Amino acid sequence: MHEMSVALSVVDQVERAARSDGAHGVRRVVVEIGELAGVVPDALAFCFELACVGTLLEGAELATRFLPGRASCAPCGRTWDTGMPPDMLCAVCRGGAGELLSGRELRITEVHWSASPTTPDPTPVPQPEES
């Protein structure tokens, strides 16, 4: 499952940026995932939660934006959604796609820092009475 390596990479990049910016934590990370990137969003979310444990991102939300695969035909100029599996044949002139326009993206687009460091709850934990 390569989603774990993607999640670890996202956590590493965001954590390095947070530390260099002096942030004390991360609330939310937004990632764009292209339809043709080969990443399953639910699997990435699961792996992200595990990868965040013990880091500045622990408890952070992962939001994903889906980007459809798009292609254009060089001979006639038509553009279309490729779908999955990708249809790279132009429906108008039957020519092969001249260019894949989108769908392979996998990028961090937003990071929301926590406003302040997490502080422990000052409420004392009740202790059982001794008899």
Side-chain angles (χ1 to χ4, degrees):
M1 173 190 315
H2 73 281
E3 282 82 355
M4 182 54 88
S5 63
V6 171
L8 289 168
S9 179
V10 168
V11 169
D12 180 58
Q13 290 177 44
V14 172
E15 190 169 38
R16 279 190 280 135
R19 289 187 191 287
S20 70
D21 202 38
H24 299 286
V26 177
R27 287 184 298 114
R28 185 170 193 246
V29 177
V30 181
V31 177
E32 288 182 339
I33 301 174
E35 180 178 29
L36 308 174
V39 175
V40 178
D42 288 342
L44 179 60
F46 175 77
C47 293
F48 179 80
E49 188 175 335
L50 294 175
C52 288
V53 173
T55 72
L56 290 177
L57 285 84
E58 189 160 0
E61 170 196 2
L62 177 68
T64 57
R65 291 188 187 135
F66 174 79
L67 300 173
R70 299 270 308 151
S72 69
C73 179
C76 75
R78 177 180 175 263
T79 62
W80 68 95
D81 287 344
T82 63
M84 191 61 177
D87 178 8
M88 301 301 289
L89 193 61
C90 177
V92 174
C93 73
R94 307 309 293 164
E99 182 179 6
L100 184 61
L101 302 174
S102 67
R104 294 182 295 197
E105 299 84 356
L106 180 57
R107 62 180 162 240
I108 301 165
T109 59
E110 296 175 38
V111 178
H112 301 265
W113 306 141
S114 294
S116 62
T118 306
T119 55
D121 184 2
T123 309
V125 177
Q127 299 295 321
E129 293 182 22
E130 290 184 30
S131 32

